[in-house]
Amino acid sequence: MRLSLILSLLIPSIAFAVPLRGPSYIGMCNPRFPCKEALEILDVQEVKTVGYLADSFGHQCQCVKEFLALEGPKYIRVHLANGTCFPERGRRCGKYDVFYRETKRSAQRKLERRNPGLLKRYRASILRTKALLGEEKEGLTIRYALCLECSISDRARKVLLREALRHFPRDSIVDSPLNHRCLSGLICEKHGDSMRYAKGQRCISDTDGITLFDADLKRLNRNSKQCEAIFYWTYGFNLLPYEYTGNFIYPYKRTEEAQEWELLGAKECIER
């Protein structure tokens, strides 16, 4: 059973001396996301911690609102744009995405040229996120990732950064490149279980791309000791069947709910 493997792989946590841990609820804004069950597993945390993706799964984000209404301190990381949807990755950017109808190449070119239309879409995502999350305050820490697994150039991501800095403090901004080095001075987010960070580099780790059941959690924890947060992902958090390999489904059209055992696996990862 997958869940039993989790128990044997976890490294014991030391209170206040380890990163925060949370589920990577990428699809949290989809109306079919199992919000009640997903938020219930957070009861084991001193600081309730989640990550999600803006726009791709819809704009209503009722579950995010319910998360914000929970009692106690909270930490939330939001990706402001979906960098995984490009046709070069065998997918398509949907009508809610910042990069709607773009390819990686066209999006990169437009950003490097500061295309007003594309920047307007990115700005709209920022403003929706600000309206949803409000301002960071005591008991609420917010991290704003420029773009999920961004494969576009440093120059293009710096244009996104310039726009984000008009709305958010620099020390709250995260760079999540797919293959590039993180932009200097930002929190660096890497995915999988084999990430490496420079000594003293601020960081966030996320298993996204490798399920929490398949990741080497000892290696993940070892490599993420200096990070402020670690997130744990599985297919159901993207509203896909476990190990799904079928045709691409637009995120806002997905209806598969995370299975109970996926949520229980995440709970084991985040318990202290």
Side-chain angles (χ1 to χ4, degrees):
M1 172 115 179
R2 294 184 178 95
L3 188 54
S4 63
L5 292 176
I6 291 291
L7 292 168
S8 64
L9 289 172
L10 287 174
I11 295 177
S13 298
I14 302 174
F16 309 112
V18 296
L20 296 173
R21 302 172 191 274
S24 188
Y25 288 155
I26 296 296
M28 201 172 181
C29 288
N30 185 303
R32 293 294 300 271
F33 189 79
C35 189
K36 180 177 180 292
E37 296 81 1
L39 297 186
E40 281 178 351
I41 74 166
L42 305 181
D43 289 343
V44 299
Q45 296 186 294
E46 294 179 13
V47 179
K48 294 177 173 59
T49 302
V50 299
Y52 79 98
L53 170 62
D55 286 357
S56 295
F57 288 85
H59 290 162
Q60 299 305 311
C61 300
Q62 181 60 36
C63 192
V64 177
K65 297 175 185 177
E66 293 183 28
F67 170 79
L68 293 170
L70 296 175
E71 293 184 359
K74 292 172 283 290
Y75 177 106
I76 190 165
R77 183 231 39 218
V78 53
H79 290 287
L80 297 168
N82 185 5
T84 72
C85 63
F86 295 126
E88 288 89 338
R89 296 187 67 172
R91 305 168 187 176
R92 298 181 300 282
C93 298
K95 63 182 181 180
Y96 293 118
D97 283 304
V98 169
F99 300 122
Y100 180 46
R101 292 182 174 175
E102 301 289 349
T103 64
K104 174 209 162 185
R105 184 171 297 181
S106 70
Q108 178 172 293
R109 182 174 63 249
K110 287 182 178 181
L111 286 174
E112 289 177 348
R113 297 175 181 177
R114 301 185 187 182
N115 177 270
L118 189 51
L119 284 177
K120 182 179 179 180
R121 291 186 66 89
Y122 190 63
R123 191 176 306 119
S125 176
I126 288 175
L127 294 177
R128 277 191 295 270
T129 298
K130 286 185 69 174
L132 175 63
L133 300 183
E135 299 292 334
E136 187 173 281
K137 57 189 177 182
E138 184 177 356
L140 176 63
T141 300
I142 308 173
R143 296 292 180 251
Y144 308 93
L146 298 174
C147 171
L148 171 62
E149 293 186 359
C150 248
S151 56
I152 57 178
S153 66
D154 290 5
R155 181 180 169 191
R157 298 199 321 286
K158 286 178 180 178
V159 174
L160 297 181
L161 173 60
R162 189 176 296 112
E163 190 63 41
L165 285 171
R166 295 178 179 176
H167 303 273
F168 309 124
R170 179 179 286 270
D171 64 3
S172 69
I173 297 177
V174 180
D175 190 25
S176 172
L178 181 61
N179 296 312
H180 298 82
R181 290 186 177 182
C182 290
L183 297 176
S184 177
L186 302 184
I187 301 169
C188 183
E189 177 171 322
K190 296 185 179 180
H191 290 184
D193 63 3
S194 304
M195 57 282 292
R196 291 285 190 276
Y197 301 105
K199 185 177 180 180
Q201 185 176 32
R202 296 179 68 203
C203 57
I204 292 172
S205 292
D206 194 318
T207 69
D208 192 358
I210 304 177
T211 75
L212 58 91
F213 303 105
D214 297 319
D216 184 331
L217 298 182
K218 288 186 177 180
R219 181 168 60 197
L220 171 70
N221 290 342
R222 184 172 61 248
N223 292 351
S224 306
K225 287 187 298 184
Q226 72 190 51
C227 295
E228 62 181 53
I230 302 173
F231 289 96
Y232 301 88
W233 174 88
T234 181
Y235 286 87
F237 299 167
N238 280 31
L239 283 89
L240 291 172
Y242 194 77
E243 297 184 335
Y244 181 76
T245 58
N247 294 331
F248 175 76
I249 306 170
Y250 284 114
Y252 63 91
K253 291 185 176 181
R254 295 177 189 172
T255 59
E256 184 77 17
E257 295 186 1
Q259 299 297 307
E260 181 182 12
W261 56 267
E262 290 182 286
L263 291 168
L264 289 174
K267 183 179 180 180
E268 294 295 343
C269 287
I270 66 177
E271 277 184 317
R272 293 193 179 278

